[in-house]
Amino acid sequence: MINVAIIGAGIGREHLRAYRQLTEHFSVVSLCDIDLERAVEVLSAEGADPTVTRLSDDFAALLARDDIDLIDICLPPHLHLEASLSALRAKKHVICEKPLVSSLAEADRLIAACAENKRILTPVFQYRYGHAVAKLKALIAGGYAGKPLIGSIETHWRRDADYYANPWRGTWKGEQGGAVLGHAIHNHDLLCAILGPIRKVAAFTDTRVNEIEVEDCAAISFQMENGALATSSITLGAADDRSRFRFCFEKLTAESDLHPYAPATGSWTFTARGTAQDQQAIDAFLQTVPAPAQGFVGFLGALADRLAGGGQDAVTIEDGRRSLELVSAIYESSRTSKFVTLPLNDECSLYHSWLPNEGR
């Protein structure tokens, strides 16, 4: 049994719901928040057992407890680095919400801390886990897709002034970035999970919707290592929240529905580019693909398997670094009007921070 302390009762509520579906692996023994009233409300609303899940507003005290194995960090982004480092030094495994940290340099500090303390840190990328993505991956592995040609992502959501009423939102200091970092990062991770690593990036970013410091619109082009091309369209000025994926392969086209927050769990279409017999073969094959656990439950289940010494599906800290490498490349390209080639190392101009000078 893995004993967990959740730090932050905001998105931590969603994590708590997932843990409660995996009681054979996890026990949430504490919920920590500086706003104890919010923590009480979350426990009451979720029906958590208060004799098991104790409330706390003292993070340091939780780190000192021997009965806690895993610290689940659900704090604002600017607090992620120090909270993660403290947990690793206390010999705890760590889950950390996105964005993991604020630079490649900070990601490399966490990688070093994991190695030094012999603990695992897992960034949260729950969008990977769902039946639709499992089907597409199975089609690719089974030879039904063929050469990848092109992909497109739309992250078209609505965020108005009430969303930015929280003082840390919309600022470089508080959020560490805008729509590229805080909203589309999951979709970009899923793009790479399907088409593989990115080799080159060209990007435009702008602030066009709200009176905020960070970007709320972006148009990005990618060249993948395997030669495929892809685009990402991002805005927080849509009339509603919708996300869409479309992948064109040599032998089929895969297209998602419009579910904004859990695209891997939606109803995707897989259309053969060939004959009716090809479509029948795809449809028959899809019937054989088992339905995996989805969303946060799938994410946490994969982590439980990894902590038990098996399983290869858990998100790794290296995955988290790659996501921040892409963020760095997007910001560098948008500011310099140049193509940026990946991978990036400490010679990258934004290695230590992508924050503009006035936001540091």
Side-chain angles (χ1 to χ4, degrees):
M1 183 64 66
I2 304 164
N3 289 335
V4 181
I6 299 174
I7 315 301
I11 191 62
R13 179 196 295 256
E14 300 297 326
H15 292 217
L16 177 61
R17 289 175 182 167
Y19 285 120
R20 297 190 68 216
Q21 297 182 55
L22 294 165
T23 54
E24 71 276 21
H25 298 301
F26 297 100
S27 175
V28 178
V29 299
S30 186
L31 176 62
C32 180
D33 199 293
I34 58 173
D35 184 349
L36 283 177
E37 289 186 5
R38 179 168 73 164
V40 168
E41 187 276 327
V42 168
L43 283 188
S44 299
E46 299 305 320
D49 185 347
T51 65
V52 176
T53 306
R54 288 181 283 173
L55 296 174
S56 174
D57 60 359
D58 190 339
F59 179 48
L62 291 178
L63 295 183
R65 284 174 52 177
D66 293 333
D67 65 329
I68 293 176
D69 309 302
L70 173 65
I71 299 291
D72 188 341
I73 297 170
C74 300
L75 298 172
H78 65 285
L79 300 175
H80 287 179
L81 176 64
E82 291 307 321
S84 296
L85 286 173
S86 296
L88 290 168
R89 290 165 182 160
K91 307 301 182 184
K92 313 297 185 186
H93 298 296
V94 176
I95 291 173
C96 187
E97 263 290 351
K98 56 84 180 170
L100 177 59
V101 282
S102 306
S103 70
L104 288 174
E106 291 181 353
D108 286 341
R109 286 181 65 188
L110 289 181
I111 291 171
C114 287
E116 179 181 351
N117 294 287
K118 296 181 173 58
R119 292 298 183 270
I120 289 170
L121 188 152
T122 299
V124 176
F125 284 119
Q126 80 277 11
Y127 278 30
R128 296 183 179 193
Y129 300 94
H131 199 193
V133 169
K135 288 178 178 179
L136 179 52
K137 288 184 174 181
L139 286 167
I140 294 170
Y144 291 88
K147 182 173 69 175
L149 305 176
I150 202 162
S152 64
I153 310 170
E154 295 174 5
T155 309
H156 291 178
W157 295 1
R158 178 172 180 160
R159 295 292 183 267
D160 297 321
D162 57 342
Y163 177 82
Y164 292 104
N166 190 318
W168 60 265
R169 283 183 172 157
T171 68
W172 286 106
K173 181 178 180 181
E175 285 200 285
Q176 309 291 293
V180 167
L181 183 69
H183 295 84
I185 193 168
H186 283 296
N187 288 346
H188 291 160
D189 176 72
L190 186 52
L191 169 73
C192 295
I194 300 302
L195 291 184
I198 293 169
R199 173 52 52 86
K200 190 174 291 186
V201 175
F204 295 91
T205 65
D206 204 353
T207 307
R208 301 182 57 79
V209 183
N210 292 285
E211 294 295 327
I212 56 177
E213 294 179 3
V214 296
E215 82 285 347
D216 53 23
C217 293
I220 309 164
S221 296
F222 308 106
Q223 183 184 60
M224 316 305 288
E225 284 191 1
N226 59 21
L229 305 177
T231 59
S232 174
S233 170
I234 307 166
T235 185
L236 303 184
D240 53 12
D241 292 356
R242 297 188 180 190
S243 295
R244 188 202 314 262
F245 292 81
R246 184 175 171 90
F247 296 101
C248 296
F249 294 84
E250 177 186 13
K251 299 179 183 178
L252 65 81
T253 295
E255 185 168 3
S256 74
D257 58 15
L258 301 178
H259 196 297
Y261 306 126
T265 70
S267 299
W268 288 43
T269 59
F270 303 96
T271 305
R273 192 164 177 258
T275 65
Q277 289 74 22
D278 294 325
Q279 186 67 56
Q280 291 170 3
I282 287 173
D283 293 341
F285 176 77
L286 290 175
Q287 296 301 313
T288 70
V289 179
Q294 306 198 109
F296 279 118
V297 176
F299 166 80
L300 292 174
L303 175 59
D305 289 343
R306 184 181 178 194
L307 290 174
Q312 302 297 318
D313 291 333
V315 182
T316 68
I317 191 170
E318 289 77 18
D319 294 326
R321 188 192 190 281
R322 278 188 288 271
S323 75
L324 299 180
E325 181 180 58
L326 178 55
V327 170
S328 301
I330 290 169
Y331 283 144
E332 182 172 5
S333 176
S334 70
R335 294 170 189 176
T336 63
S337 300
K338 296 179 180 179
F339 292 107
V340 176
T341 300
L342 282 69
L344 303 178
N345 56 28
D346 59 4
E347 295 182 0
C348 168
S349 64
L350 302 186
Y351 175 79
H352 291 284
S353 179
W354 56 67
L355 303 186
N357 290 334
E358 62 271 23
R360 294 184 185 178

